[in-house]
Amino acid sequence: MHDKSIAELSAGLKAGEYSSVELTRHFLDRIAAHDGQLNSFITVTEAGALAQAEAADARIKAGEAGPLTGIPIAHKDIFCTRGVRTSCASKMLDPFVAPYDATVVTNLAAAGVVMLGKTNMDEFAMGSSNETSFYGPVSNPWDTDRVPGGSSGGSAAAVAARLCVAATGTDTGGSIRQPASYCGITGLKPTYGRVSRYGMIAFASSLDQAGPMTRSAEDAALLLTGMSGFDPKDSTSIERPVEDYAAALGKDLKGLKVGVVKEFFGDGLDGGVAGSVQAAIDALKKLGAEVVEVSLPNSGLSVPAYYVVAPAECSSNLSRMDGVRFGHRCEDSKDLMDLYERSRSEGFGDEVKRRILIGTYALSAGYYDAYYLKAQKIRRLISDDFKRAFEQVDVLVGPAAPDTAFVKGAKSDDPVAMYLSDIYTIAVNLAGLPGMSVPVVPAGGLPVGLQIIGNYFEEGRLLNVAHQLQLATDWHQAAPAGFA
Ligand code: GLN
């Protein structure tokens, strides 16, 4: 059952071949059997899942089921879930039980999904390897000595290992696409504003966006339709009707203009990854796409600009974790300053502290113009690059990450090497565009992702390109040994 697509499972549920309770039990058993090796879940909500599955079965019997009704999924532990611990993988929020659901959670629950639990992640979504979690690192199911990528590494590992049908993730600088690439799954970061951020614990508010992490583009289309939409509770959510993304999957690629981003094939790109990405581009050509080279001349500035903007926003967002309003509180504080200082020192991990320090510095009166304002100007140059590119082509392609999953610990002492994991994804967040990663030919036995970037609100086009590629190839169907 765990190898089937959402559409196949939904058909099986409607035909009465199995119930949602049986399906949910099956995945709960898989989590119990396999997650000891992976650590992809922080919390498993067994009783809640079985109750939701029973309700889904009743809906199916009554003939009121939609395409997601009764499908077991997992949520990244960054989404508030009412009555369930919402930790953001931080000691700071370890005991926090959210009093309300994030809109993504509400929307998917209304569509009838079953929540199996909350997945592990980098602390407050800061990281590219899932090694900064308070609950310990996540292992990559393709090689458990390696990282799954981050920050949505728990979701990526759980989907790849078939411990859930699909999962939600969030992407501020690459946290859906890079782990999707490392774990051999399909991940989509939507246009900024397509999916509500309400109840999604904020890291960098002008960049954060939630999206689906699935095995196929077809599953991603169904999940995206279920999670997106205008939300009056999020002032940056966009008032635009939700598309039926699954209905957009039928077009062939003849005449599709594909731009290969020249700057994404320079120094720093692993040779094996380059070969795999090239094979995928050749496959697109065979399907009728016209491939041309395109330049994004300012993309080299994206990592430095991001590491000013994201820390600046995080230093402000995380100020609420002060031991008074939210978060861990130290014992026996002498006075208010002592309470703040010790609560924050004890509650946050090293990477989060580094970001808060950088961000506070960049926003301080004497440095604001030199850093924050300058980074915002670079951000504009980067969006202008994309604007020009989309005057020439329909989609852009390149690698999602410069390498394959690395061995745990390999980059832990070198934050800059870690930051460069997102060298091809960050520009997309700075511009607010949609982007996805789809599995292509592995390199050295490890998964590789092709990144496909679209113009604003062209999620349907991206999903169709990925779907056509997945109809013609079987790269996305490979399962890691031991988890098939
Ligand atoms: N790896 C990047 C960072 O550490 C991106 C994280 C993300 O997208 N949440 O900030």
Side-chain angles (χ1 to χ4, degrees):
M1 278 193 277
H2 52 268
D3 223 25
K4 289 194 159 68
S5 70
I6 294 179
E8 286 166 346
L9 289 172
S10 180
L13 287 168
K14 282 180 197 147
E17 287 166 30
Y18 34 81
S19 66
S20 176
V21 169
E22 282 163 342
L23 192 59
T24 300
R25 219 12 328 145
H26 177 71
F27 280 100
L28 289 168
D29 289 347
R30 280 186 68 78
I31 295 170
H34 296 286
D35 204 40
Q37 282 178 73
L38 300 178
N39 196 28
S40 66
F41 279 83
I42 291 175
T43 305
V44 177
T45 49
E46 178 165 339
L50 291 168
Q52 281 181 329
E54 260 176 48
D57 283 332
R59 238 170 113 172
I60 295 164
K61 272 219 186 81
E64 289 160 8
L68 294 173
T69 308
I71 305 293
I73 70 156
H75 285 299
K76 184 177 182 179
D77 205 17
I78 197 169
F79 293 100
C80 285
T81 40
R82 186 155 55 100
V84 175
R85 171 169 60 182
T86 300
S87 73
C88 243
S90 181
K91 179 179 179 187
M92 204 39 134
L93 291 180
D94 175 53
F96 177 63
V97 173
Y100 65 93
D101 280 329
T103 297
V104 162
V105 173
T106 306
N107 287 353
L108 286 173
V113 304
V114 170
M115 178 179 86
L116 295 167
K118 310 285 298 285
T119 55
N120 206 341
M121 54 183 283
D122 278 298
E123 186 181 3
F124 285 108
M126 298 172 198
S128 304
S129 66
N130 223 301
E131 293 169 292
T132 69
S133 168
F134 173 61
Y135 304 95
V138 176
S139 301
N140 189 316
W142 293 89
D143 175 349
T144 51
D145 291 332
R146 292 175 189 271
V147 305
S151 63
S152 311
S155 291
V159 171
R162 281 97 172 127
L163 305 188
C164 52
V165 180
T168 53
T170 63
D171 190 313
T172 303
S175 279
I176 287 177
R177 290 159 290 160
Q178 185 255 18
S181 174
Y182 281 12
C183 289
I185 65 160
T186 302
L188 186 149
K189 179 204 97 73
T191 307
Y192 184 79
R194 173 70 295 182
V195 178
S196 169
R197 292 184 300 107
Y198 179 76
M200 186 176 113
I201 296 173
F203 162 12
S205 311
S206 75
L207 301 162
D208 298 341
Q209 187 64 197
M213 302 183 76
T214 55
R215 292 205 311 272
S216 67
E218 190 196 17
D219 284 1
L222 291 169
L223 206 62
L224 182 62
T225 300
M227 66 199 283
S228 51
F230 172 64
D231 180 4
K233 297 193 198 105
D234 170 7
S235 62
T236 59
S237 120
I238 290 176
E239 199 155 1
R240 195 181 158 104
V242 178
E243 287 168 51
D244 178 355
Y245 294 107
L249 298 181
K251 294 181 216 83
D252 68 41
L253 302 188
K254 286 199 190 72
L256 179 86
K257 287 216 164 123
V258 174
V260 176
V261 183
K262 188 172 98 190
E263 288 77 7
F264 288 5
F265 290 83
D267 284 351
L269 177 62
D270 173 89
V273 172
S276 297
V277 169
Q278 191 52 53
I281 295 171
D282 293 344
L284 290 175
K285 264 191 214 158
K286 262 211 206 112
L287 291 172
E290 282 172 37
V291 177
V292 295
E293 190 177 270
V294 166
S295 173
L296 299 175
N298 295 293
S299 57
L301 299 172
S302 61
V303 172
Y306 172 88
Y307 278 98
V308 172
V309 173
E313 294 184 14
C314 101
S315 72
S316 156
N317 276 325
L318 296 192
S319 63
R320 74 189 63 153
M321 312 284 167
D322 56 8
V324 177
R325 289 170 298 171
F326 288 99
H328 166 81
R329 181 178 297 179
C330 70
E331 279 178 18
D332 303 324
S333 50
K334 286 199 310 279
D335 53 32
L336 188 62
M337 270 332 263
D338 183 50
L339 173 83
Y340 286 155
E341 275 177 24
R342 284 201 292 122
S343 299
R344 286 168 69 82
S345 302
E346 290 166 11
F348 289 132
D350 288 347
E351 183 58 28
V352 173
K353 285 178 187 156
R354 180 182 292 125
R355 307 274 179 119
I356 292 173
L357 289 173
I358 296 172
T360 306
Y361 180 82
L363 288 178
S364 57
Y367 295 106
Y368 179 85
D369 290 1
Y371 295 111
Y372 191 72
L373 207 62
K374 190 144 190 188
Q376 292 289 29
K377 288 180 181 166
I378 292 170
R379 198 168 174 180
R380 166 52 64 90
L381 295 177
I382 288 168
S383 343
D384 288 348
D385 281 357
F386 280 112
K387 205 165 159 195
R388 272 191 296 275
F390 287 120
E391 281 162 10
Q392 303 163 51
V393 296
D394 300 317
V395 294
L396 293 166
V397 295
D403 53 5
T404 50
F406 50 89
V407 172
K408 284 180 201 158
K411 300 189 186 180
S412 308
D413 298 328
D414 186 350
V416 175
M418 188 73 88
Y419 296 170
L420 290 174
S421 295
D422 294 314
I423 188 163
Y424 308 132
T425 47
I426 276 178
V428 174
N429 300 75
L430 289 170
L433 292 164
M436 68 189 292
S437 176
V438 287
V440 297
V441 202
L446 292 168
V448 172
L450 171 78
Q451 185 175 198
I452 313 171
I453 304 165
N455 212 339
Y456 298 104
F457 298 105
E458 299 227 313
E459 286 81 1
R461 194 200 289 267
L462 292 189
L463 287 161
N464 181 55
V465 172
H467 180 63
Q468 296 304 319
L469 193 64
Q470 292 180 344
L471 284 177
T473 60
D474 56 7
W475 302 318
H476 64 294
Q477 275 159 355
F483 298 97

